[in-house]
Amino acid sequence: MRLTLNRLFLSLLTLSAPLPLLAANGHYVPGIEASGGAFMPPVQGLYYRAYLVHYDIRQVADARGDDMPGNNTGSVTAFANRLLYVTDRTFLGANYGVEAIVPVQRTSLRFRGLGVDSSESGVGDVYLGPVVLGWHGAQWDTVFAAGFWLDTAEHDPRDPATIGRGHPATMLTLGGAWHFDPERRWSVSALSRYEIKGEQDDTGITPGDSWLVEWALSHRLDSGLEVGLAGYDAWQLEADTGAGNNNKAERHAAGLELGYRWPDTGLQLKGAVYHEYSVKAGSGGVQPSGNLFRLALTTAF
């Protein structure tokens, strides 16, 4: 029973709110997941996870990774609601589930050196995932998922603080974890996301495909507290079609994660902080860089 609870509350494959400024040209925001990203609950039921994400923009980088001149600061704060339902069905030996996520966010930009002063709030692009598959072994877990980012949020190509991305996207997920001991106290995990973009109706630009990897090395103490090293690396693999240049965005960060779970109550809380040490802009010409803070509360019904 204890092993089942450990796997249940350590194991959620989760998605993020679409914060347009943070992704390497994609909907998915790096840093939302760390040690718990490459898992899916092995027990049938409904799971809810609430994310609180704050991105503190310290500077804006160009396509070479150099800081733009002037005082360019801002923030993006998001609250995302995600539901995952794990069915009693299996496919190819994996537990089968479906998911959906609805984010709300506020973006505030004060890029004085670039002449930008804008703030926007609203509901972001919605994600629907009809396929979530999770395989579980004694000392390993792996997950695959496929879903769609819908073009539901308001998008203004003239406003860098716009909430939506302005295009739909298909996202494929593949991740896994290895637990060094039978009690699963030491674990290493990686979670990758691949996004295939659609065309922006407002601009006629089709953003290039992007790929992201989140990784973590974590340890659970006797007290139940989890500590870990975590990071993310994101690349735009193709140049935007119709953008007029071949610049491709990149984003790299490392940080720390802490977590605690209460098996008797069905709650798990995890927090992380990341520092971005390398950022390059894509076809848009500039890309914010800074620090990301994240809290995620998970409960099972």
Side-chain angles (χ1 to χ4, degrees):
M1 180 64 177
R2 181 177 179 181
L3 178 58
T4 300
L5 288 173
N6 286 344
R7 293 175 65 178
L8 175 62
F9 297 109
L10 276 172
S11 57
L12 275 177
L13 164 69
T14 43
L15 303 179
S16 71
L19 313 184
L21 288 169
L22 306 190
N25 199 49
H27 285 80
Y28 183 81
V29 178
I32 297 302
E33 293 303 332
S35 60
F39 301 86
M40 174 182 169
V43 179
Q44 179 186 1
L46 180 65
Y47 302 84
Y48 169 73
R49 176 167 283 187
Y51 302 89
L52 180 62
V53 181
H54 180 77
Y55 184 65
D56 183 30
I57 300 171
R58 310 301 299 173
Q59 190 49 268
V60 175
D62 62 16
R64 297 186 302 272
D66 299 328
D67 290 343
M68 299 293 291
N71 183 21
N72 303 305
T73 61
S75 66
V76 182
T77 302
F79 179 74
N81 302 277
R82 187 239 181 176
L83 288 172
L84 168 66
Y85 179 65
V86 179
T87 72
D88 60 353
R89 299 182 180 274
T90 60
F91 179 72
L92 298 177
N95 299 104
Y96 170 73
V98 296
E99 62 186 345
I101 187 165
V102 180
V104 179
Q105 76 177 64
R106 175 172 177 79
T107 301
S108 180
L109 306 179
R110 300 293 182 266
F111 298 166
R112 309 297 187 185
L114 302 177
V116 174
D117 190 339
S118 179
S119 297
E120 295 291 342
S121 301
V123 178
D125 292 334
V126 173
Y127 178 85
L128 297 179
V131 177
V132 184
L133 300 175
W135 292 264
H136 310 284
Q139 290 182 227
W140 59 269
D141 295 273
T142 189
V143 67
F144 171 82
F148 309 96
W149 290 103
L150 306 180
D151 183 16
T152 55
E154 182 179 355
H155 176 256
D156 183 353
R158 300 164 297 180
D159 186 356
T162 189
I163 300 301
R165 296 295 291 173
H167 62 81
T170 299
M171 186 167 73
L172 304 176
T173 296
L174 180 64
W178 173 257
H179 313 284
F180 296 97
D181 57 306
E183 293 76 21
R184 297 184 170 218
R185 291 183 177 272
W186 285 95
S187 301
V188 61
S189 63
L191 182 70
S192 64
R193 313 279 196 181
Y194 189 92
E195 282 196 43
I196 305 169
K197 319 296 194 313
E199 180 179 320
Q200 286 183 327
D201 292 335
D202 296 333
T203 65
I205 294 174
T206 300
D209 292 357
S210 58
W211 182 50
L212 176 148
V213 177
E214 295 177 276
W215 53 267
L217 173 64
S218 61
H219 177 55
R220 177 165 49 86
L221 305 176
D222 291 339
S223 63
L225 180 69
E226 296 178 24
V227 296
L229 300 174
Y232 55 80
D233 301 276
W235 300 269
Q236 181 182 349
L237 301 181
E238 299 177 334
D240 295 351
T241 302
N245 64 60
N246 294 321
N247 296 336
K248 301 175 185 178
E250 288 188 28
R251 189 173 295 276
H252 306 276
L256 300 173
E257 183 185 52
L258 293 175
Y260 192 83
R261 64 186 181 280
W262 296 266
D264 293 337
T265 63
L267 293 175
Q268 180 189 56
L269 180 65
K270 285 193 174 184
V273 57
Y274 299 88
H275 172 68
E276 293 182 330
Y277 58 85
S278 178
V279 173
K280 294 182 180 179
S283 62
V286 296
Q287 188 78 214
S289 64
N291 302 311
L292 186 138
F293 306 88
R294 178 258 298 163
L295 285 176
L297 179 67
T298 304
T299 187
F301 297 97

